[in-house]
């Protein structure tokens, strides 16, 4: 599953007798790259909110944003070095596109585990994640659920790569309203792991999913 900073001390045993992690996702920090990423998320949302009808000088805004990007690119390490740094350690990642505080694409979603083996989190999505008018894009729903199932496997103690994801859309998931994302590992047969999840609003399922995972991992960059 994920990696980066080392995990916190573990606590109760999971489904497979493996000690469960004390946390499942990286907590955002007050400063540094996390604060810069949070500002970038705000910029993306503000650009979509402003659109073409704004009185703001968008050409000037573009120049400012390009200047910031130039500074970051000039001081960034080589891609290979950055990949190694991202995957260093045995803990949870900080860069994934769902829960990563270092990734401006991530909402981010905060997930916690329950003693019944499930994981869940609540988030509210805005215009950057829109598909149908006022609703979450179906691909974004699938992304949230795929990642949540992976975290549920981590919580249960046996993780793997997504082999198959069946997604059922029951009703539109609304923007600007609290959404609950949940997942739970339901069975293991050899290397085959089966996990289920749901994206709901107001206590009603909007999207449900069933996933098949294979207990195999891609080697980390060295």
């Amino acid at each position: 599953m994920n990696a980066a900073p080392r995990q916190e001390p573990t606590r109760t045993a999971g489904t497979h007798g493996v000690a469960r992690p004390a946390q499942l996702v990286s907590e955002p920090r007050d400063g540094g790259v996390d604060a810069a990423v949070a500002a970038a998320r705000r910029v993306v949302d503000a650009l979509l909110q402003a659109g073409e009808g704004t009185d703001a000088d968008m050409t000037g805004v573009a120049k400012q944003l390009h200047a910031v990007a130039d500074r970051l690119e000039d001081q960034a390490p080589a891609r290979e070095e950055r990949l190694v740094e991202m995957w260093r350690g045995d803990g949870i990642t900080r860069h994934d596109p769902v829960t990563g505080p270092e990734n401006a694409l991530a909402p981010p979603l905060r997930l916690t585990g329950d003693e019944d083996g499930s994981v869940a989190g609540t988030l509210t999505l805005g215009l950057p994640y829109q598909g149908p008018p006022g609703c979450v894009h179906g691909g974004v729903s699938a992304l949230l659920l795929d990642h949540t199932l992976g975290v549920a496997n981590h919580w249960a103690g046996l993780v793997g790569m997504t082999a198959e994801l069946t997604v059922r859309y029951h009703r539109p998931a609304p923007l600007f309203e609290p959404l609950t994302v949940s997942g739970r590992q339901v069975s293991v047969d050899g290397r085959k792991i089966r996990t289920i999840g749901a994206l709901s609003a107001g206590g009603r399922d909007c999207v449900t999913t069933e996933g098949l995972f294979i207990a195999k991992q891609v080697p980390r960059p060295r």
Side-chain angles (χ1 to χ4, degrees):
M1 179 62 188
N2 293 340
R6 295 189 178 277
Q7 285 181 190
E8 300 295 327
T10 54
R11 51 174 184 171
T12 57
T15 305
H16 308 286
V18 178
R20 284 175 169 155
Q23 67 181 74
L24 291 173
V25 299
S26 294
E27 295 298 325
R29 298 163 182 164
D30 291 335
V33 66
D34 292 13
V37 166
R41 291 193 190 102
R42 184 181 174 194
V43 168
V44 171
D45 190 77
L47 285 169
L48 281 167
Q49 184 68 37
E52 289 287 352
T54 181
D55 291 331
D57 176 14
M58 285 300 198
T59 300
V61 169
K63 290 180 180 178
Q64 291 177 309
L65 293 177
H66 279 302
V68 171
D70 288 342
R71 287 172 53 196
L72 292 172
E73 290 172 356
D74 287 344
Q75 299 179 29
R79 183 183 304 164
E80 293 76 12
E81 294 177 19
R82 177 62 176 139
L83 283 170
V84 170
E85 192 273 333
M86 281 179 168
W87 290 101
R88 182 177 292 122
D90 300 317
I92 52 181
T93 58
R94 298 180 51 75
H95 60 263
D96 71 78
V98 175
T99 66
E102 291 185 4
N103 192 332
L105 298 179
L109 173 63
R110 323 278 359 127
L111 291 166
T112 57
D114 201 318
E115 292 303 322
D116 67 1
S118 64
V119 302
T122 301
L123 79 167
T124 300
L125 297 175
L127 291 177
Y129 306 99
Q130 182 172 227
C135 301
V136 179
H137 192 291
V140 172
S141 298
L143 172 65
L144 294 172
L145 286 166
D146 180 40
H147 190 83
T148 299
L149 298 194
V151 174
N153 290 334
H154 182 44
W155 182 242
L158 183 63
V159 301
M161 304 293 293
T162 309
E164 182 178 285
L165 194 68
T166 302
V167 182
R168 296 180 176 87
Y169 297 89
H170 304 278
R171 56 183 54 83
L175 297 176
F176 316 118
E177 296 181 22
L179 303 172
T180 298
V181 190
S182 60
R184 179 172 57 88
Q185 188 179 102
V186 293
S187 69
V188 174
D189 181 9
R191 295 173 59 209
K192 295 181 178 180
I193 306 165
R194 297 191 182 277
T195 316
I196 60 174
L199 174 68
S200 60
R204 302 178 68 196
D205 286 345
C206 300
V207 186
T208 58
T209 188
E210 299 175 7
L212 169 64
F213 296 79
I214 304 299
K216 179 181 181 180
Q217 296 295 299
V218 174
R220 296 180 184 180
R222 301 293 182 187

